[in-house]
Structures are given as structure tokens and as C-alpha cells.
Amino acid sequence: MVGNRTWFGGLFNSSGKRRQVSAEKIVLDLNPLQEQRLQKLKERLNVPYDETRPDHQESLRALWNASFPDRELTSLVSAQWKDMGWQGVNPATDFRGCGFISLENLLFFARTYPAPFKRLMLKQKGVRAVWEYPFAVAGINISYMLIQLLELNSARPKSLPGINFIKVLTEHEDAFELLYCIAFEMMDAQWLAMRASYMQFKEVLEATKQQLERELSLEDLNNIHDLPAYNLLSK
């Protein structure tokens, strides 16, 4: 059961049995592939969402179609968006906090893991709060949290999570997107374990960040599948 505290602690505390190392012991020397993939990711961070761009409009429509395939979207500015957890009738206003990549993250999650995506969006598992977190806005917050945790706005990461992420990026070009999906699952599991409500969202997000930081600090982390929380995507 996702919301069970014992289950949650047992799953994630398993990372405590594996060694965590200090970033001071690691010398970061990027190879050409790592340089290329990291630079490409950083360039994406600088792309704002532009509601006048046809490709951005198409991505937003694609997100709706992936989320609600049986419901037609009447307009890109519509009260229908609130059903997905946007703050208002125009998602463009929410994207200002993190840019186009936050839309790309949601779309990747919807297309790559449609069952977990819909389970989280529709709050289908666990004992839910009367006042739930808004799904889409939570997704933007997770994108922002990951950017900060991985130090993607810095020239080079200095913390172990950021350094280990480079190793994972070597194995998976879409490592950031995969980590986003895992983080979303972790956040929802944390939400249920804490029996949280809307006003506790920041607390839940911080707890998720701390757990993800611990997992990304494991000594033997080389692949996205090495994260203890990776198996959440299969539940």
C-alpha cells in the first residue's frame, strides 16, 4: 500500500544500507559525450514557454490529449485545464516559473509511463486528502526542484547528486526526464505517507528532495535503475 508509513520507510531506507560518499573525493572530468548531453540539457533550461509559438502550442495540446484522450480540448485557454491541476484557465501563466522544459517533463511522463501518470493525476491510489495537491503545478515544482538539486544552472556541479547525475546521463540521454518521473512518484508516496494536505505541499516537496539527494549520493550509482526508488514506476 503506497500510503503505508512502514512500507514507505522500508522502501527508501534501503538506500541506507549502501554507502554514500563525499563529493570531495570525486574529481569531475567530463568526457565529450557528457559535455554534449549536459550542454544540450542546459540549453533547454533557458527556453521560456511561449504561447505564441506553434510548437509550444502543439506540445500543450499533446499533453491534454495524452492526459484526457477521450475529451476534446475546446481551447488552449479553457477552464478544462483546472481538471489537470493548473491554477487557472491558461497554463502559460504557470510555466513562467520554470519554462518550456516543465511542459516537456509532463509530456514525457504522460507518454512514457501513461499508467503511473494517470494514477497520480487522478489520485487513484491511497487514502487521499480532502484538499489534494494540484497535479500539474506540482509537476512544475518538481522540475524546478530537480534543476536546483542537480545544480544545472552552475558551470559544473559540486555536490554528489549533481556529479552522480552526470554519470547517469552518460547511460541515459533522457536521464533528467526519467529522474523527473521517479521524483513525481516519490513525492506522491511521501504525500500519502505523511497523510498530507494542500498546505503541507512545500514540506512534502522538501522531504522528497532530501530523499532523492540521499539516493543520488550512493557510491555505486551509475544507472537510473540503481536508484532504490526506480521501482516505483512499475507500481
Side-chain angles (χ1 to χ4, degrees):
M1 176 94 177
V2 173
N4 183 279
R5 287 178 179 270
T6 303
W7 175 88
F8 183 84
L11 173 67
F12 291 126
N13 285 342
S14 63
S15 63
K17 300 176 183 178
R18 294 159 61 184
R19 285 185 58 197
Q20 296 180 349
V21 295
S22 170
E24 297 176 357
K25 299 180 180 180
I26 298 178
V27 177
L28 183 61
D29 186 15
L30 302 186
N31 62 41
L33 177 62
Q34 291 171 333
E35 287 274 11
Q36 178 188 20
R37 290 184 174 179
L38 183 59
Q39 182 59 34
K40 183 178 179 181
L41 177 57
K42 288 185 174 185
E43 289 173 358
R44 291 170 58 202
L45 301 182
N46 295 320
V47 179
Y49 179 79
D50 184 348
E51 58 185 317
T52 68
R53 284 182 53 167
D55 57 332
H56 288 198
Q57 294 174 5
E58 185 56 36
S59 293
L60 190 57
R61 287 193 186 93
L63 178 62
W64 175 269
N65 291 334
S67 304
F68 302 106
D70 299 324
R71 294 174 56 188
E72 182 180 356
L73 180 66
T74 58
S75 171
L76 288 180
V77 178
S78 168
Q80 290 175 284
W81 287 112
K82 294 183 180 181
D83 294 340
M84 192 179 173
W86 299 99
Q87 294 185 89
V89 299
N90 186 0
T93 60
D94 292 323
F95 288 129
R96 291 172 187 165
C98 200
F100 184 58
I101 195 169
S102 56
L103 171 55
E104 290 182 306
N105 289 160
L106 280 166
L107 188 53
F108 178 90
F109 193 7
R111 287 173 166 172
T112 310
Y113 300 102
F117 177 87
K118 290 185 178 180
R119 169 171 48 79
L120 297 188
M121 181 182 69
L122 301 175
K123 312 294 197 304
Q124 292 176 331
K125 290 291 181 71
V127 179
R128 311 306 307 199
V130 175
W131 198 6
E132 278 285 328
Y133 65 85
F135 176 79
V137 175
I140 293 178
N141 277 272
I142 291 170
S143 294
Y144 183 81
M145 178 267 286
L146 286 177
I147 292 169
Q148 302 304 308
L149 175 62
L150 303 176
E151 300 177 283
L152 294 178
N153 286 321
S154 302
R156 288 286 187 274
K158 296 181 180 179
S159 68
L160 197 54
I163 293 171
N164 273 343
F165 172 72
I166 301 299
K167 293 162 60 178
V168 175
L169 191 61
T170 308
E171 300 297 323
H172 307 275
E173 187 171 7
D174 53 1
F176 185 76
E177 286 76 17
L178 290 169
L179 195 57
Y180 170 88
C181 298
I182 294 170
F184 216 136
E185 286 275 19
M186 291 175 71
M187 186 279 295
D188 190 74
Q190 185 73 266
W191 175 273
L192 291 171
M194 293 173 62
R195 297 182 175 90
S197 189
Y198 180 82
M199 298 303 292
Q200 295 172 282
F201 178 75
K202 285 187 178 181
E203 180 183 344
V204 172
L205 191 63
E206 179 59 28
T208 303
K209 179 181 178 181
Q210 291 175 7
Q211 180 59 46
L212 190 58
E213 184 174 11
R214 286 192 291 270
E215 295 203 10
L216 285 168
S217 297
L218 294 172
E219 183 179 28
D220 55 349
L221 182 65
N222 293 288
N223 191 293
I224 197 74
H225 305 99
D226 294 332
L227 289 170
Y230 176 78
N231 64 359
L232 283 173
L233 287 172
S234 63
K235 291 184 179 294

